[in-house]
Amino acid sequence: EAGVAQSPRYKIIEKRQSVAFWCNPISGHATLYWYQQILGQGPKLLIQFQNNGVVDDSQLPKDRFSAERLKGVDSTLKIQPAKLEDSAVYLCASSLGGGTLGNTIYFGEGSWLTVV
Amino acid sequence: GENVEQHPSTLSVQEGDSAVIKCTYSDSASNYFPWYKQELGKGPQLIIDIRSNVGEKKDQRIAVTLNKTAKHFSLHITETQPEDSAVYFCAASIAKLSFGAGTTVTVRA
């Protein structure tokens, strides 16, 4: 079974530029997550989709971050304009259902962003 | 929101010895406690989890214990091997996962 696919794996941009990350979840998984992982910290949830609807975006900095999940499958996360503190690994994850109890969350390998 | 603290931040053990990582959580309503292993350049991978109605769970060399009264849970790895070297994260969940800061485990050959 194919895992969660993410691209690009690595990106270096200058501050104030924009960047977009793409994610393809495990086939059949209704729930998709974007996490931000700053070096030396645990992942932090940015946004959670259930099919193509947003369940939780309470920690998404909406002035610069946006995400969409068209047709309930693939998703893109965009940052515009980027700040130095956005340097992190952006992890996409998916699970079969919503909620965490009884739903294993599978992570992709991440997209490493460096803002200079 | 939920706050998860994890200790120690680094752990070095001799191959064959045991490793123990401890986490505490703040919200007594949390009901699901997974542990993830993250190798360099990869995403976190679930290695074991426990629900709030269970006190202990074991899977081969890995075990997790939960003390709901004290709001803490622990990961135990026995007979450590070099391939156990990685960063380990605990998490607690009501509706979404809140992660600890991670423990870097190094197994010395």
Side-chain angles (χ1 to χ4, degrees):
Chain A
E1 178 181 85
V4 177
Q6 292 189 244
S7 68
R9 289 296 317 277
Y10 306 95
K11 192 76 175 178
I12 300 175
I13 62 172
E14 294 183 349
K15 57 183 179 183
R16 292 187 291 273
Q17 286 188 327
S18 63
V19 63
F21 301 113
W22 172 84
C23 173
N24 181 240
I26 293 173
S27 178
H29 280 195
T31 306
L32 185 146
Y33 315 79
W34 283 101
Y35 286 84
Q36 180 192 58
Q37 186 176 22
I38 294 172
L39 188 65
Q41 299 182 17
K44 182 185 82 171
L45 180 68
L46 292 175
I47 189 166
Q48 176 182 341
F49 293 94
Q50 181 77 18
N51 296 307
N52 60 349
V54 175
V55 174
D56 185 344
D57 63 356
S58 58
Q59 296 198 82
L60 186 74
K62 297 180 185 66
D63 57 334
R64 299 182 298 106
F65 285 66
S66 64
E68 60 182 8
R69 190 183 185 196
L70 300 176
K71 301 180 182 178
V73 182
D74 294 2
S75 176
T76 56
L77 175 71
K78 296 179 182 178
I79 308 173
Q80 181 180 17
K83 292 185 175 181
L84 296 177
E85 58 260 37
D86 298 332
S87 295
V89 180
Y90 291 87
L91 295 163
C92 181
S94 69
S95 65
L96 199 58
T100 53
L101 194 63
N103 281 300
T104 300
I105 296 175
Y106 298 89
F107 285 85
E109 294 197 326
S111 292
W112 295 61
L113 174 65
T114 301
V115 182
V116 297
Chain B
E2 176 64 277
N3 182 46
V4 178
E5 294 191 356
Q6 183 171 347
H7 300 280
S9 57
T10 61
L11 181 60
S12 180
V13 296
Q14 190 69 36
E15 182 177 0
D17 287 350
S18 295
V20 180
I21 303 170
K22 298 182 179 181
C23 290
T24 60
Y25 60 99
S26 60
D27 195 329
S28 57
S30 288
N31 57 8
Y32 176 63
F33 307 89
W35 286 87
Y36 284 84
K37 175 183 181 182
Q38 187 173 28
E39 297 175 338
L40 194 62
K42 299 196 173 183
Q45 181 178 16
L46 179 71
I47 56 171
I48 194 168
D49 57 14
I50 192 167
R51 302 181 185 189
S52 59
N53 59 345
V54 176
E56 184 173 353
K57 184 177 178 180
K58 189 174 181 180
D59 182 4
Q60 298 181 18
R61 297 185 297 108
I62 294 173
V64 58
T65 59
L66 171 65
N67 183 326
K68 285 190 64 181
T69 303
K71 290 189 285 188
H72 67 69
F73 56 114
S74 302
L75 177 72
H76 304 251
I77 306 173
T78 59
E79 300 173 18
T80 54
Q81 300 168 5
E83 53 264 37
D84 294 329
S85 295
V87 180
Y88 291 80
F89 292 97
C90 62
S93 170
I94 306 169
K96 65 182 180 183
L97 292 180
S98 295
F99 285 85
T103 297
T104 301
V105 174
T106 303
V107 180
R108 307 186 308 271

